[in-house]
């Protein structure tokens, strides 16, 4: 029987939620108030994740597919479960598309996109075939390493005198509208809404009683680092550069300069990006494969993993012709048209039905 520890789940969720947001600049549309949007999104996102945990608990710690079938019935729950599989594959393909555009801009400018994305997906497939326990162990090792690098980067920026905290003021200089726009729906749905995928894995937690605390704690912890990266980016680059650059995190790395000894730590930015996107794509792939296996009553995950990886590769390489189009779809289109119905509306219906059934059982018990 597969079992994962609270620390492993915590690590997996933190890395998944951080994802590529620290590279792109979370809520950059809010300018110097981006950290406020990020903070509010984290708080609301933790409430959303708490709702997911409640769904799992109220339905006897079954998987996402089991929850949908139990509350919506076989005829409605099964097609909707397949819809989640398609969304998970699409999200994995968006991760591959991130790789396609960002890797040539950062570390491998001359390498064809089809080659390094294929190599990366082979690593994802290998890890997914090894199983959820192996992925969680990897996350448990990666998290403290990344935290150490983030702390080191912050200290180096402080020592180098690159931070200008006056860039954060005045607060709400252009009103509350752009802050609110950055929070809803993109700020909440990105990373936090996507955490609906974790309901595929939660039933294997070895200490189920603390699921809510672990999931909400991981969300707030990830949110802290997202806010920190926004603060570092704004205080080093200023509002206009932060808003105008596609990957502000890499520019921040270049500003580190301590006694002409430590300079241009772009390799650290590449480490953040590669580690977190590896975890995120692997989670997407494994979640889709596990749901597919449960829906088809297959005995093993291997076929579902390979099918998911193949679709992910093809869609990821063909879904956008340029980076601007890719970003626009991720920020403006996907959250409204896909994530809100999948990550908010449907879970809201399932949670309402679960609470109604629990109240009904309590009345019957009296």
């Amino acid at each position: 029987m597969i079992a994962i520890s609270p620390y492993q789940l915590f690590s997996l969720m933190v890395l998944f939620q951080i994802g590529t947001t620290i590279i792109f600049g979370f809520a950059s549309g809010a300018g110097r108030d981006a950290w406020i949007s990020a903070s509010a999104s984290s708080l609301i996102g933790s409430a959303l994740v708490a709702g997911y945990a409640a769904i799992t608990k109220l339905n006897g710690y079954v998987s996402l597919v089991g929850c949908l079938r139990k509350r919506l019935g076989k005829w409605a729950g099964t097609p909707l479960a397949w819809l989640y599989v398609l969304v998970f594959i699409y999200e994995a393909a968006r991760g591959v598309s991130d790789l396609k555009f960002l890797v040539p801009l950062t570390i491998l400018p001359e390498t064809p996109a089809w080659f390094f994305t294929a190599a990366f997906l082979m690593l994802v497939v290998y890890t997914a075939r090894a199983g959820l326990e192996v992925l969680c162990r990897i996350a448990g090792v990666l998290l403290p390493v990344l935290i150490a690098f983030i702390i080191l980067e912050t200290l180096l920026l402080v020592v180098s005198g690159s931070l200008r905290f006056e860039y954060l003021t005045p607060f709400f200089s252009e009103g509350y509208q752009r802050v609110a726009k950055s929070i809803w729906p993109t700020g909440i749905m990105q990373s936090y809404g996507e955490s609906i995928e974790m309901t595929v894995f939660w039933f294997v937690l070895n200490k189920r009683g603390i699921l809510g605390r672990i999931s909400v704690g991981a969300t707030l912890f990830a949110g802290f680092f997202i806010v920190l990266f926004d603060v570092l980016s704004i205080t080093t680059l200023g509002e206009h550069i932060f808003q105008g650059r596609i990957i502000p995190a890499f520019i921040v790395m270049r500003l580190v300069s301590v006694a002409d000894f430590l300079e241009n730590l772009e390799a650290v930015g590449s480490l953040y990006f590669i580690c977190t996107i590896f975890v995120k794509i692997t989670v997407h792939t494994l979640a889709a494969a596990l749901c597919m296996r449960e829906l088809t009553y297959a005995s093993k995950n291997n076929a579902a993993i390979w099918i998911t990886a193949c679709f992910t590769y093809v869609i990821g390489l063909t879904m956008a012709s340029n980076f601007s189009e890719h970003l626009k779809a991720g920020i403006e289109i996907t959250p409204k048209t896909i994530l809100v119905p999948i990550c908010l509306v449907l879970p809201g219906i399932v949670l309402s039905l679960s609470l109604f059934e629990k109240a009904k059982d309590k009345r019957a018990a009296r």
Side-chain angles (χ1 to χ4, degrees):
M1 177 65 181
I2 296 175
I4 59 176
S5 69
Y7 170 72
Q8 290 172 338
L9 176 62
F10 180 89
S11 301
L12 186 68
M13 287 192 65
V14 170
L15 292 175
F16 176 81
Q17 291 178 349
I18 288 176
T20 56
T21 56
I22 59 175
I23 299 297
F24 290 124
F26 191 91
S28 59
R32 66 169 63 92
D33 295 323
W35 69 276
I36 300 175
S37 296
S39 301
S41 297
S42 174
L43 293 174
I44 300 171
S46 65
L48 187 62
V49 170
Y52 298 156
I55 291 173
T56 301
K57 181 178 179 180
L58 289 169
N59 288 280
Y61 296 96
V62 296
S63 68
L64 175 63
V65 174
C67 288
L68 292 170
R69 284 175 164 174
K70 184 175 181 179
R71 293 306 172 191
L72 301 177
K74 180 179 179 181
W75 296 106
T78 299
L80 287 174
W82 277 109
L83 179 60
Y84 276 94
V85 172
L86 295 177
V87 171
F88 297 163
I89 293 174
Y90 172 77
E91 288 296 320
R94 286 200 58 81
V96 170
S97 194
D98 285 340
L99 282 172
K100 178 180 73 173
F101 291 116
L102 287 180
V103 170
L105 289 174
T106 53
I107 54 177
L108 298 173
E110 303 297 330
T111 306
W114 64 266
F115 176 77
F116 60 72
T117 52
F120 194 88
L121 272 178
M122 290 301 293
L123 179 60
V124 168
V125 168
Y126 178 81
T127 307
R129 290 188 63 184
L132 178 61
E133 284 182 300
V134 172
L135 176 61
C136 288
R137 290 194 197 107
I138 292 172
V141 173
L142 285 178
L143 181 61
V145 174
L146 289 182
I147 290 174
F149 275 111
I150 293 170
I151 294 172
L152 175 63
E153 178 197 347
T154 304
L155 292 175
L156 290 175
L157 286 170
V158 172
V159 171
S160 63
S162 301
L163 302 182
R164 300 287 185 272
F165 287 100
E166 61 269 21
Y167 289 166
L168 294 173
T169 57
F171 303 144
F172 302 108
S173 60
E174 297 188 21
Y176 296 90
Q177 185 175 2
R178 68 174 184 173
V179 174
K181 187 177 179 181
S182 296
I183 295 171
W184 174 260
T186 307
I188 299 172
M189 292 297 108
Q190 276 187 340
S191 298
Y192 306 121
E194 290 174 352
S195 296
I196 186 71
E197 293 185 36
M198 290 296 154
T199 59
V200 179
F201 310 133
W202 279 343
F203 72 97
V204 298
L205 180 66
N206 62 9
K207 295 182 179 179
R208 294 176 174 178
I210 60 172
L211 172 61
R213 281 175 282 170
I214 291 296
S215 55
V216 172
T219 303
L220 293 174
F221 194 71
F224 169 77
F225 284 103
I226 293 172
V227 172
L228 175 62
F229 267 85
D230 271 0
V231 170
L232 293 177
S233 297
I234 297 166
T235 55
T236 53
L237 303 177
E239 177 179 24
H240 299 297
I241 298 178
F242 173 65
Q243 283 185 300
R245 297 291 181 173
I246 296 174
I247 43 177
F250 280 89
I251 303 174
V252 173
M253 305 293 180
R254 294 173 188 166
L255 296 177
V256 174
S257 179
V258 180
D260 296 324
F261 175 68
L262 288 172
E263 294 185 335
N264 296 335
L265 300 182
E266 292 180 64
V268 176
S270 300
L271 176 67
Y272 297 155
F273 171 61
I274 294 299
C275 290
T276 55
I277 201 170
F278 164 72
V279 170
K280 196 152 191 173
I281 293 177
T282 307
V283 167
H284 291 317
T285 302
L286 195 54
L290 290 175
C291 288
M292 199 182 300
R293 174 187 174 182
E294 188 172 352
L295 287 164
T296 57
Y297 302 99
S299 58
K300 294 184 179 180
N301 299 330
N302 293 347
I305 289 170
W306 279 109
I307 291 170
T308 300
C310 290
F311 277 108
T312 295
Y313 181 71
V314 173
I315 297 170
L317 288 183
T318 58
M319 70 189 313
S321 58
N322 58 71
F323 202 17
S324 297
E325 180 183 331
H326 173 68
L327 283 179
K328 182 178 180 180
I331 295 173
E332 298 180 11
I333 300 174
T334 301
K336 295 178 182 177
T337 60
I338 297 178
L339 297 183
V340 168
I342 288 293
C343 302
L344 184 63
V345 177
L346 280 175
I349 293 172
V350 172
L351 179 59
S352 299
L353 292 173
S354 301
L355 290 171
F356 176 77
E357 186 69 22
K358 182 180 180 180
K360 183 179 177 182
D361 291 340
K362 281 186 176 181
R363 287 195 299 269
R366 293 173 184 173

